[in-house]
Amino acid sequence: MYNRRRFISFIGKASLGAAVMPPFLSSCGNTSTPSEAFKQTDREILKRLKKLVIESLNPSDKDALLLTKGLNYHTVIKWGDKISNDDTFGFNNDFTCFIPLNKNNPKDGLLWVNHEYPNPLFVSGFNYRQYENPKEYRTIEQVDKEMYSVGGSIVRVKEENGEWKVVQNDPLNRRITAHTPIELNWDSPIKGKSTVIGTHSNCSGGITPWNTFLTCEENYHSCFGETIYDENNVPTKVPSRYGWEVYYDYPPEHYGWVVEVDPKNGSAQKHIALGRFAHECCTLYELEDKRIVAYSGDDKADEHLYKFVSSVPGSLKEGTLYVADTINGKWLALDWDSQPPLREKFKDQTEVLVRVREAAKILGATELNRPEDIEIDPITGHVLVSLTNNTSKNDYHGSILKVEETDGKFDSLTFKASNYLAGGEENGFSCPDNLAFDLSGNLWITSDISGSAMNRGDQPYLPFKNNSLFVVPRYGEDAGKVIRVVSAPRDAELTGPWFSPDGKTLFLSVQHPGELTTDLENPTSKWPFDDDGIPKPAVVAITGDLIEKMNKLSQIESQDG
Ligand code: FEO
Ligand code: CA
Ligand code: CA
Ligand code: CA
């Protein structure tokens, strides 16, 4: 019999009043309701979990994807692989999410994969380092190649004989790119348009209760620049890094949104009500009355944490966007109608949402140290937010922030914020980024030490070596410890951890191996060691005895079932 209270007291987390995990997540991996697995065998399971020893990897600067004992990997898909007669897999894969096509078969479904940004040297053959004013030398063909390399991919994947493979030419396989027309889910046009061109800078994301994908536009200013305003409210356009605006004069205001993609037909929409900023991710919770709460962090130093609460069921348009004052534990409404200081500065709610960073600061939102991924602990209901670092405030190693909504209500307007886990040498990790809970409630964390800081000279990141994946076990003698279980190839970052619905596979992106390469003849990484010697971002499937044991609860559930 499903008994959450029994489960919670059993593992010593007695603080929870009601089931916290959105039920929709239990059918699509990443996080689930662990208590479902707890039947009559509790003591037996705990005994086994307590005995589970996870060997920690030492920090490594090797050009290899290293895994601790009990884990194996195989590559599912990599940059440039064909997904259909017309399309290939994009570059720099980040957020990765799997939805089974049929709830009863966890081995056949759709992978959504974000493609965050191009490395022109690899993608278009353009070497910025050769030119003093690189943008003057760009060709439209190069820009088009870069625009095709970003956005996202939908690919059908199946597991056979322990190996995940892409189903070539499946009718559901498709690309979304920086050239794809996308509607705005809003009543007023933005810069004259209700349909805009493309998505890019797609970092992390999320999933909806109605089984669509959310992909988040993070460092959008790199592609078409940004509009900034002086003290007299006079706008200036700041040019982008990649210079796409040289050929495509798209307004910066069309980017920096949460984008929803329907896997069935590839249609996409940008959710204006969730505000415009460097969205790292978007983590949804469905309330009992089907209204939606959406958490999202702005990954820029001294920016903010936001949550949207819908006023009608299933909407990502009707409702209120709030920003966090973590010092006083208050969610501040970014609402033009009810906030006089916002009425003074902005002409309407659309302008508040487009310039939401400025609006948040006017209301007194707390500056945070680069909020990245957000997950809801399936057992406690606490909202965990990675704060990756903020060197301008001498926070080199980051931390994980814990938000406890008042009375465990996700639509509460008050909360308590505290430090959950600090990065640094003592805990063995630095710069936390993506988070994922497995089916048993263990927490998995990836790190994102920037390529330019990793393995360099005498600086604070040296002891950590290559970026890695860590696990924080919830049970047993190592409960609460941060254990390094996968080490990335050179210059790479591990992103998008996502568990298959049966908890037996961890999908993981290996992003930007060899990022610091300046000469294609002599790349800084050769992973995944293709014949051409060129490093390639790829999605891997991690399986093995250790994942199976850590997800013991779900395994026993399926054996009993
Ligand atoms: Fe694209 Fe905030 O990491
Ligand atoms: Ca990230
Ligand atoms: Ca996550
Ligand atoms: Ca990051």
Side-chain angles (χ1 to χ4, degrees):
M1 178 78 191
Y2 172 5
N3 189 327
R4 171 169 287 274
R5 274 188 189 283
R6 185 165 161 227
F7 174 72
I8 290 158
S9 61
F10 176 66
I11 60 160
K13 304 267 180 192
S15 59
L16 191 68
V20 292
M21 209 52 227
F24 70 89
L25 279 178
S26 62
S27 64
C28 59
N30 203 33
T31 36
S32 183
T33 311
S35 44
E36 276 175 26
F38 260 82
K39 296 189 171 180
Q40 57 279 48
T41 47
D42 300 5
R43 271 176 205 289
E44 200 44 45
I45 297 167
L46 185 63
K47 231 193 284 172
R48 273 185 268 166
L49 284 166
K50 270 193 167 168
K51 280 195 213 146
L52 184 62
V53 177
I54 309 169
E55 282 184 23
S56 181
L57 290 175
N58 288 323
S60 164
D61 58 6
K62 282 208 177 86
D63 186 29
L65 186 66
L66 303 173
L67 298 97
T68 196
K69 203 173 139 199
L71 298 180
N72 320 297
Y73 85 90
H74 57 273
T75 302
V76 182
I77 188 165
K78 58 182 186 284
W79 169 52
D81 284 357
K82 275 179 99 62
I83 62 169
S84 69
N85 289 338
D86 301 324
D87 283 312
T88 57
F89 194 66
F91 198 71
N92 270 349
N93 33 263
D94 198 297
F95 178 64
T96 303
C97 162
F98 175 88
I99 294 182
L101 282 171
N102 174 340
K103 232 169 65 179
N104 301 317
N105 182 6
K107 297 182 173 190
D108 180 4
L110 295 178
L111 262 191
W112 166 269
V113 185
N114 277 2
H115 300 298
E116 187 170 4
Y117 62 95
N119 182 331
L121 184 64
F122 294 117
V123 171
S124 60
F126 183 72
N127 191 345
Y128 277 89
R129 296 170 186 90
Q130 287 178 338
Y131 307 103
E132 202 173 314
N133 297 309
K135 276 185 220 166
E136 291 174 17
Y137 299 89
R138 304 284 273 147
T139 67
I140 191 167
E141 289 78 17
Q142 289 164 344
V143 170
D144 282 340
K145 278 186 187 167
E146 291 166 22
M147 289 176 74
Y148 181 75
S149 77
V150 299
S153 291
I154 300 172
V155 280
R156 183 165 179 192
V157 289
K158 274 189 191 177
E159 194 241 277
E160 276 162 18
N161 305 319
E163 195 158 331
W164 288 91
K165 288 199 172 122
V166 172
V167 180
Q168 280 297 326
N169 265 322
D170 190 276
L172 294 170
N173 292 1
R174 68 177 82 237
R175 285 293 317 278
I176 305 283
T177 76
H179 282 304
T180 307
I182 300 179
E183 282 176 27
L184 304 183
N185 181 23
W186 197 241
D187 294 332
S188 324
I190 291 178
K191 293 282 162 187
K193 302 281 183 197
S194 295
T195 300
V196 303
I197 303 301
T199 182
H200 53 75
S201 316
N202 310 77
C203 189
S204 192
I207 189 167
T208 68
W210 45 93
N211 275 333
T212 57
F213 305 116
L214 297 173
T215 174
C216 295
E217 298 177 337
E218 191 193 32
N219 294 312
Y220 59 88
H221 59 282
S222 310
C223 299
F224 295 106
E226 176 61 309
T227 310
I228 55 165
Y229 293 81
D230 68 12
E231 62 276 13
N232 300 316
N233 217 12
V234 175
T236 315
K237 180 109 176 262
V238 180
S240 77
R241 179 174 169 208
Y242 297 123
W244 294 355
E245 70 271 26
V246 172
Y247 294 103
Y248 298 97
D249 189 20
Y250 300 150
E253 288 79 2
H254 287 178
Y255 311 99
W257 304 105
V258 174
V259 185
E260 181 179 353
V261 179
D262 185 338
K264 289 197 287 297
N265 56 18
S267 67
Q269 51 179 328
K270 299 200 180 194
H271 292 300
I272 307 309
L274 274 54
R276 176 173 172 270
F277 50 89
H279 284 275
E280 169 76 20
C281 75
C282 189
T283 303
L284 264 50
Y285 185 90
E286 187 180 44
L287 298 167
E288 260 176 53
D289 60 10
K290 307 280 184 198
R291 285 180 304 120
I292 304 294
V293 178
Y295 293 94
S296 189
D298 186 350
D299 183 7
K300 188 178 175 211
D302 304 327
E303 291 297 334
H304 311 291
L305 172 68
Y306 296 80
K307 89 168 173 183
F308 171 82
V309 181
S310 79
S311 53
V312 296
S315 179
L316 290 174
K317 179 183 169 203
E318 309 297 334
T320 305
L321 182 67
Y322 300 89
V323 65
D325 167 353
T326 60
I327 294 160
N328 298 302
K330 285 185 182 155
W331 290 108
L332 313 167
L334 290 152
D335 177 38
W336 189 86
D337 282 325
S338 63
Q339 300 274 23
L342 300 186
R343 283 212 300 275
E344 254 172 56
K345 173 104 181 173
F346 305 107
K347 67 175 190 291
D348 55 20
Q349 182 64 15
T350 304
E351 195 176 29
V352 168
L353 294 168
V354 169
R355 297 169 62 185
V356 79
R357 284 172 162 168
E358 293 169 75
K361 286 186 167 47
I362 289 170
L363 296 184
T366 309
E367 292 181 348
L368 296 173
N369 294 351
R370 297 187 48 201
E372 297 232 48
D373 203 8
I374 300 172
E375 288 293 337
I376 299 170
D377 185 321
I379 293 169
T380 62
H382 299 155
V383 182
L384 302 187
V385 183
S386 280
L387 302 176
T388 204
N389 63 45
N390 188 348
T391 50
S392 70
K393 290 192 171 161
N394 292 324
D395 176 8
Y396 291 93
H397 299 302
S399 61
I400 296 176
L401 179 79
K402 178 168 84 178
V403 170
E404 295 173 71
E405 298 279 22
T406 303
D407 299 328
K409 292 195 165 76
F410 292 94
D411 57 348
S412 170
L413 298 185
T414 56
F415 63 94
K416 193 176 125 207
S418 58
N419 181 35
Y420 180 73
L421 191 61
E425 281 193 69
E426 197 177 322
N427 284 325
F429 75 102
S430 181
C431 306
D433 190 335
N434 293 146
L435 305 172
F437 283 98
D438 64 22
L439 301 187
S440 303
N442 302 301
L443 175 62
W444 300 69
I445 305 170
T446 65
S447 65
D448 180 15
I449 302 168
S450 83
S452 55
M454 230 188 312
N455 297 313
R456 301 259 149 159
D458 182 21
Q459 39 86 340
Y461 301 110
L462 205 54
F464 302 95
K465 298 194 175 174
N466 289 3
N467 279 314
S468 292
L469 171 73
F470 302 84
V471 68
V472 183
R474 192 178 278 272
Y475 325 93
E477 282 164 23
D478 287 336
K481 285 190 190 157
V482 185
I483 303 172
R484 186 185 298 250
V485 289
V486 182
S487 176
R490 294 209 77 151
D491 305 350
E493 171 194 5
L494 302 173
T495 56
W498 189 274
F499 286 92
S500 63
D502 59 4
K504 292 187 178 187
T505 300
L506 171 61
F507 295 107
L508 188 68
S509 278
V510 179
Q511 197 187 147
H512 56 74
E515 181 179 48
L516 299 181
T517 297
T518 54
D519 171 9
L520 290 177
E521 297 293 314
N522 193 15
T524 55
S525 165
K526 292 191 174 178
W527 193 90
F529 306 108
D530 281 357
D531 291 341
D532 63 7
I534 299 292
K536 295 184 183 76
V539 176
V540 300
I542 296 177
T543 56
D545 191 47
L546 181 62
I547 289 208
E548 305 228 351
K549 280 183 181 156
M550 296 205 72
N551 280 300
K552 203 68 194 174
L553 310 184
S554 57
Q555 302 309 308
I556 285 187
E557 165 76 357
S558 54
Q559 278 160 25
D560 288 354

